[in-house]
Amino acid sequence: MQKEIEESSEKFQSAINKREEYIQMRDNLLKIYDDFCLAQGILVRIRRSVHIIFSNYVAVDGYTVPYQLVSDANNVANTICKALNRAKLLLPCEDKDLRNTLEVVYSKFNVLCEKINSYYYEGYGLSTSENAWNVISSSGIARYDYYTLMRNPSLYDSYLKLCDTDETKEIEILIEELLPLFKYDKFDKFFEPYLQMSSVE
């Protein structure tokens, strides 16, 4: 009788431990999913507005809009790098679909960050904005007076066109290549086996 009780207790404890492991694994994979969704969030935020972001170099609270983009993109790149490393440690070797998906997203996001960093840190964005102001300020709007400029739709549109360069177009192309990688059938579905509640019940 005592032996049966001990065996039953061991089985019960083993079941509890296994459930806790499943829950921990689910939490870890959910964190990886959330971290990669930060990349999707920034892509959606800047899509079709890269030239607009790089048109405004007026500092607010010590930061320009382009600097904020550069900072956010690099922070997200670091976050998904760590998430990818966690995924490689946690995922079974045979789950090549999810591993490959995460590696491709990380790789392409890194290329995007390099383009953004280059455009900002090598001064192309600022010099383009300065050249645009050279043209626009001749029409009577004071240099760097974005408020007045934006209240004149025709001039503002002309200014933005001057800020839309081959480089900003390349960045936009990279964004358009990345966003489809977050569609359900290319991203979410690979997480489902780990995240659906039935797998831990």
Side-chain angles (χ1 to χ4, degrees):
M1 181 72 162
Q2 182 63 32
K3 189 176 179 182
E4 286 178 8
I5 292 172
E6 287 174 2
E7 286 175 357
S8 177
S9 177
E10 284 176 12
K11 285 180 183 176
F12 181 68
Q13 189 59 48
S14 176
I16 290 175
N17 291 342
K18 193 167 186 179
R19 179 177 170 79
E20 287 175 353
E21 285 174 14
Y22 278 133
I23 291 170
Q24 185 62 49
M25 179 69 163
R26 181 180 183 274
D27 289 347
N28 287 333
L29 267 294
L30 184 59
K31 176 74 169 85
I32 291 166
Y33 177 86
D34 288 343
D35 286 348
F36 270 83
C37 285
L38 292 173
Q40 182 185 28
I42 199 169
L43 295 172
V44 170
R45 194 176 87 213
I46 68 175
R47 182 186 196 190
R48 298 190 185 118
S49 61
V50 173
H51 67 294
I52 299 171
I53 291 167
F54 280 101
S55 74
N56 187 345
Y57 278 83
V58 172
V60 178
D61 296 330
Y63 299 102
T64 64
V65 177
Y67 174 79
Q68 195 61 56
L69 166 60
V70 169
S71 178
D72 290 349
N74 286 312
N75 286 338
V76 168
N78 288 333
T79 298
I80 64 174
C81 176
K82 292 174 187 172
L84 175 61
N85 289 337
R86 283 197 311 276
K88 286 178 179 177
L89 291 171
L90 290 170
L91 291 171
C93 293
E94 58 270 15
D95 192 348
K96 290 185 171 63
D97 288 334
L98 183 50
R99 284 171 173 266
N100 291 342
T101 295
L102 298 180
E103 285 177 6
V104 168
V105 169
Y106 172 67
S107 175
K108 285 185 176 288
F109 195 85
N110 256 1
V111 172
L112 173 66
C113 277
E114 287 168 11
K115 283 279 184 190
I116 291 172
N117 287 336
S118 172
Y119 195 63
Y120 179 78
Y121 286 113
E122 293 177 23
Y124 298 123
L126 180 58
S127 66
T128 299
S129 172
E130 290 293 320
N131 291 336
W133 273 114
N134 289 340
V135 173
I136 295 300
S137 59
S138 66
S139 63
I141 292 181
R143 198 175 189 85
Y144 309 130
D145 185 354
Y146 285 95
Y147 179 72
T148 302
L149 177 61
M150 287 190 290
R151 292 178 66 201
N152 186 323
S154 170
L155 279 178
Y156 185 53
D157 186 57
S158 297
Y159 175 76
L160 291 179
K161 283 178 181 171
L162 292 168
C163 292
D164 195 8
T165 65
D166 289 343
E167 289 83 2
T168 59
K169 287 180 173 72
E170 285 177 22
I171 292 169
E172 291 286 0
I173 289 168
L174 291 172
I175 292 168
E176 294 300 330
E177 288 174 357
L178 261 163
L179 276 170
L181 299 179
F182 288 95
K183 286 185 176 178
Y184 168 80
D185 61 334
K186 292 186 177 177
F187 189 76
D188 300 77
K189 79 171 185 180
F190 299 126
F191 281 92
E192 281 185 350
Y194 302 102
L195 299 182
Q196 288 180 345
M197 289 307 295
S198 59
S199 65
V200 296
E201 288 171 353

